[in-house]
Amino acid sequence: MSDHIKTFIPAAGLATRLGGIPKFLLPISDKKTLLGFHIDNLKKIKNNELSIGANKNFYKTIQDIYDEISIKKVNSSSMVQTVTKLNLENKKLSLVIMPDTYFENYKIVEEMKEKITTSNIDVVLGIWKIKQSQIGKLGQCMLDGDIVKKIIDKDANCKEEYFWGLIMWKPSFNKFISDKDLHFGVSLNRAIENKLKIGYVASPDEYFDCGTFDEYQNLLKKLRL
């Protein structure tokens, strides 16, 4: 399998949860935003093409700041729909990075790439141990050895230990992705039902989904800002 990657960054949300503030432009230092953190790290990965999807409200802002990256204006109602409008890749690996998230060590992306290119799995997830404050807010993973058996999305009663925060896949997964899926958990469960192999790489570090001010404040405390 080729080690070339197309990385999708779906940044087309309307920022309604934060009162219109685009989450991916939240600062994590004097000179860097969440989106900038991801772009800087992704540019270090060999054979990696970046593609950002942005809505009409924030497209010009992102383009002005990151003019060296491919940015497409899209009208989308979900993360999955944004990715499909950026054109699924039929010859390369695909990776999705949510721009309003933060994880401490980008080594996990290289580990995911190594695992998927040297095995017969179709999809590899980056997973983290879920914190009490994150239960019911993220997609948790039912694991069986080194395989993901099921995704349980945003269930406050779920007891599974890990959630997924990154997804990388071979073109074999494309046919199970529908632009009507609200999130990739739906696509993953469809693929699992059709016998695709879903593997994972577990990170020992922390993962922050800055969709709320509480989680963003937790990140700033972690970074001591």
Side-chain angles (χ1 to χ4, degrees), residues 13-27:
L14 296 176
T16 54
R17 284 194 292 174
L18 293 187
I21 301 171
K23 295 169 286 185
F24 51 83
L25 292 181
L26 291 171

Side-chain angles (χ1 to χ4, degrees), residues 5-215:
I5 303 175
K6 181 174 181 178
T7 296
F8 300 92
I9 305 180
L14 296 176
T16 54
R17 284 194 292 174
L18 293 187
I21 301 171
K23 295 169 286 185
F24 51 83
L25 292 181
L26 291 171
I28 58 171
S29 72
D30 289 343
K31 297 181 179 179
K32 191 167 292 185
T33 64
L34 285 168
L35 177 59
F37 164 77
H38 289 298
I39 288 175
D40 287 350
N41 280 284
L42 290 165
K43 286 166 66 176
K44 298 174 186 176
I45 297 174
K46 184 180 178 182
N47 298 325
N48 187 20
E49 171 194 353
L50 304 187
S51 182
I52 300 178
N55 67 38
K56 63 181 182 180
N57 295 332
F58 306 126
Y59 168 78
K60 185 65 166 56
T61 300
I62 298 174
Q63 189 178 55
D64 288 346
I65 299 174
Y66 308 107
D67 57 359
E68 78 281 14
I69 306 298
S70 173
I71 303 168
K72 182 178 179 180
K73 189 187 300 183
V74 297
N75 180 21
S76 168
S77 60
S78 73
M79 168 180 63
V80 178
Q81 191 174 81
T82 299
V83 170
T84 60
K85 288 191 174 186
L86 292 173
N87 299 322
L88 296 177
E89 179 56 58
N90 292 316
K91 294 182 179 179
K92 301 178 183 178
L93 298 171
S94 296
L95 170 68
V96 169
I97 300 283
M98 292 305 298
D100 55 354
T101 65
Y102 180 92
F103 46 93
E104 295 178 292
N105 194 339
Y106 245 82
K107 182 181 177 182
I108 189 173
V109 176
E110 295 287 4
E111 292 175 348
M112 291 167 66
K113 182 179 177 182
E114 174 69 16
K115 184 161 190 172
I116 202 168
T117 55
T118 59
S119 71
N120 63 348
I121 60 173
D122 300 281
V123 182
V124 61
L125 302 179
I127 67 173
W128 284 260
K129 279 194 174 182
I130 197 161
K131 295 179 286 189
Q132 186 65 37
S133 62
Q134 294 172 323
I135 295 174
K137 299 177 182 178
L138 300 169
Q140 290 166 255
C141 304
M142 184 183 295
L143 306 180
D144 183 11
D146 59 355
I147 296 297
V148 179
K149 288 182 62 177
K150 187 178 181 180
I151 302 297
I152 301 97
D153 192 66
K154 297 182 181 179
D155 182 348
N157 297 311
C158 182
K159 304 299 182 183
E160 299 299 330
E161 188 176 6
Y162 288 90
F163 70 92
W164 72 274
L166 291 173
I167 178 171
M168 183 183 292
W169 69 88
K170 295 174 180 174
S172 54
F173 180 55
N174 285 348
K175 64 182 178 181
F176 299 104
I177 300 172
S178 168
D179 63 5
K180 296 180 175 61
D181 294 341
L182 293 179
H183 51 79
F184 275 104
V186 177
S187 315
L188 286 165
N189 283 333
R190 185 182 299 119
I192 292 168
E193 291 168 3
N194 284 275
K195 310 303 182 185
L196 259 66
K197 290 186 177 180
I198 316 297
Y200 62 87
V201 173
S203 172
D205 301 315
E206 288 189 88
Y207 180 103
F208 297 85
D209 178 359
C210 300
T212 65
F213 274 121
D214 286 347
E215 189 75 347

